[in-house]
């Protein structure tokens, strides 16, 4: 069974940074693309970033390009999202998602809440 | 990176069927057979219901089915049950990114 456990969320002020982590188990992490998806309160799902199994193929949504950095450590079965220059509009639940079963077939963690407010 | 278009709401009585559309473009839905559908209950994480247009993960009832024609994908829930009341989101691989739909709230009357 795929298990994804996010951590690192919290309350920060505009302009500050946070690093989210997602610990994975129950599947072959080193063979799976990994993604971050966010959901603002009361809003829909928005894809944020992706990293392919070997750390290549990194992509970002336009809204976070240049501010967020995705990375992974296949030895630790963990994916990260470094978020710099946070803005109020970045306030959301951040979900880690894995696609071990195929492109776009996401299994999800429970999410970690990021609140950006002064 | 525009969101895929879904109707805001859909409804049906128990036992009936409901179909949700998901409209994109040739750059996403129409260009790849990597359309997925997710169910999300309030306060919960999304759950994969359909992947690669029409495949069901293990454990998902066969009341859920998916299809695609051109730039529009569809999710049909047959034999509606109370527990099907939730938000549903489509998504599509788009090469350099993944795009989600705007979401549809399904109400069981």
């Amino acid at each position: 069974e795929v298990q994804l456990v996010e951590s690192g969320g919290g309350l920060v002020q505009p302009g500050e940074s946070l690093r989210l982590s997602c610990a994975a188990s129950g599947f072959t992490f080193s063979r799976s693309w990994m993604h971050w998806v966010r959901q603002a309160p009361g809003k829909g799902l928005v894809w944020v970033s992706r990293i392919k199994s070997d750390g290549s193929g990194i992509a970002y949504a336009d809204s976070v390009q240049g501010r967020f950095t995705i990375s992974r450590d296949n030895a630790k079965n963990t994916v990260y999202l470094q978020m710099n220059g946070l803005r109020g509009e970045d306030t959301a639940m951040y979900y880690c998602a894995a696609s071990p079963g195929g492109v776009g077939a996401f299994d999800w963690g429970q999410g970690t809440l990021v609140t950006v407010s002064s | 990176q525009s969101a895929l278009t879904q109707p805001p709401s859909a409804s049906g009585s128990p036992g009936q069927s409901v179909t949700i559309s998901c409209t994109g473009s040739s750059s996403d839905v129409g260009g790849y057979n990597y359309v997925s559908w997710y169910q999300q209950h309030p306060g919960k994480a999304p759950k994969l219901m359909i992947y690669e247009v029409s495949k069901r993960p293990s454990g998902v009832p066969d009341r859920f089915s998916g299809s695609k024609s051109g730039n529009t994908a569809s999710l049909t829930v047959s034999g509606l049950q109370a527990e099907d009341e939730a938000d549903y989101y489509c998504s599509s691989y788009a090469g350099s990114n993944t795009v989600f739909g705007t979401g549809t709230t399904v109400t069981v009357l």
Side-chain angles (χ1 to χ4, degrees):
Chain A
E1 179 188 2
V2 172
Q3 288 202 334
L4 301 167
V5 180
E6 301 95 334
S7 61
L11 172 63
V12 296
Q13 296 190 347
E16 293 186 339
S17 299
L18 271 179
R19 187 196 197 201
L20 306 184
S21 299
C22 171
S25 61
F27 64 102
T28 305
F29 179 81
S30 60
R31 295 181 183 176
S32 178
W33 293 16
M34 298 297 296
H35 304 256
W36 287 96
V37 179
R38 69 185 181 185
Q39 186 171 35
K43 302 297 185 181
L45 301 172
V46 177
W47 176 85
V48 172
S49 183
R50 170 203 79 203
I51 185 168
K52 293 186 178 181
S53 54
D54 63 356
S56 68
I58 288 175
Y60 300 98
D62 290 344
S63 58
V64 307
Q65 179 77 48
R67 299 188 298 124
F68 289 12
T69 302
I70 191 171
S71 61
R72 66 189 294 159
D73 186 335
N74 285 349
K76 295 183 177 180
N77 285 4
T78 301
V79 63
Y80 306 96
L81 186 68
Q82 177 68 42
M83 305 186 296
N84 298 331
L86 284 162
R87 306 166 179 167
E89 55 264 37
D90 295 319
T91 294
M93 182 70 77
Y94 283 74
Y95 292 102
C96 169
S99 53
V103 176
F106 291 3
D107 290 302
W108 301 73
Q110 288 305 302
T112 186
L113 183 62
V114 172
T115 303
V116 184
S117 175
S118 56
Chain B
Q1 297 184 349
S2 298
L4 306 175
T5 301
Q6 297 181 232
S9 63
S11 63
S13 299
Q16 291 187 330
S17 296
V18 65
T19 297
I20 304 166
S21 62
C22 169
T23 302
S25 69
S26 58
S27 298
D28 38 63
V29 175
Y32 304 93
N33 286 323
Y34 292 125
V35 175
S36 299
W37 289 90
Y38 301 92
Q39 177 191 67
Q40 187 179 35
H41 288 109
K44 300 295 187 180
K47 174 187 175 183
L48 178 66
M49 305 302 284
I50 295 288
Y51 67 102
E52 293 178 11
V53 177
S54 60
K55 297 179 180 179
R56 274 188 313 276
S58 172
V60 172
D62 60 6
R63 302 184 293 103
F64 291 85
S65 62
S67 62
K68 189 185 86 167
S69 177
N71 296 336
T72 298
S74 298
L75 173 72
T76 297
V77 186
S78 305
L80 269 174
Q81 298 183 5
E83 59 262 35
D84 300 332
E85 186 161 290
D87 292 329
Y88 291 82
Y89 295 90
C90 62
S91 76
S92 176
Y93 178 72
S96 58
N97 63 298
T98 293
V99 60
F100 282 92
T102 50
T104 299
T105 298
V106 169
T107 302
V108 181
L109 301 172

